[in-house]
Amino acid sequence: MSRVNRELEQYVFVGILCAQGIILGLIEQSLPSPFPLAPGAKLGLTNIITLIALVLLPFKDCILLTFLRLVITALISGGVSTFIYAAAGATLSLILMKIFLLFTPKIISLIGVSIIGGVSHNFGQLIVATILAQSKYIMLYLPILTIIGILAGLVVGLISNYLFHYVQALSFVKENLSIKER
């Protein structure tokens, strides 16, 4: 198969993952918060897609996937403020998960990487809230959001770990993408 066809297949795969992330995000927005102490806090089901992409795809494709997912979801359901908060959390989460993914499976598991993603996503959003509100007191919310990030990251990590075995079984993934053997 030619290099152009493989690149095209890879971008189609990124598009499929992006669509799945958008759908998960829209579904999650329609559900009530599973965390009563933190109104608006969500599980972050789109991180399932991000985590799978980080394992399977080159980092530049993960950046593209995250950017497209954020922009399209904001256009469909949110606004500028939604986009700013989501982008801050997603960017910090993506970068830190990529860094810690380098240490799997010897030092940290996929579930641990997901927990780091959940906590850092919340931290990124708190930083933006602190800047926009010009109030350091928003950071008092950090302990609650850290616990929520750990719980959400655990759930997302368990689901990702379960689904990853099925994604690896796809012949396209085996043949064309840079999968790390686990």
Side-chain angles (χ1 to χ4, degrees), residues 23-69:
I23 291 167
L24 282 173
L26 293 174
I27 289 170
E28 191 171 31
Q29 284 179 6
S30 69
L31 300 174
S33 175
F35 305 106
L37 292 176
K42 301 290 184 186
L43 283 174
L45 296 177
T46 56
N47 272 342
I48 296 168
I49 303 301
T50 304
L51 199 53
I52 289 172
L54 279 169
V55 173
L56 296 176
L57 297 170
F59 190 58
K60 67 179 180 65
D61 289 341
C62 296
I63 293 169
L64 175 65
L65 168 68
T66 302
F67 176 75
L68 290 173
R69 181 184 53 77

Side-chain angles (χ1 to χ4, degrees), residues 2 10 17 27 38 44-46 48 60 63 74 86 110 123 139 143-144 155 158-159 162 166 168 176:
S2 73
Q10 193 161 323
L17 289 176
I27 289 170
L45 296 177
T46 56
I48 296 168
K60 67 179 180 65
I63 293 169
L110 201 58
F123 186 66
M139 283 296 178
I144 293 170
V155 170
L158 289 168
I159 294 169
Y162 175 77
Y166 293 102
Q168 269 188 311
N176 296 313

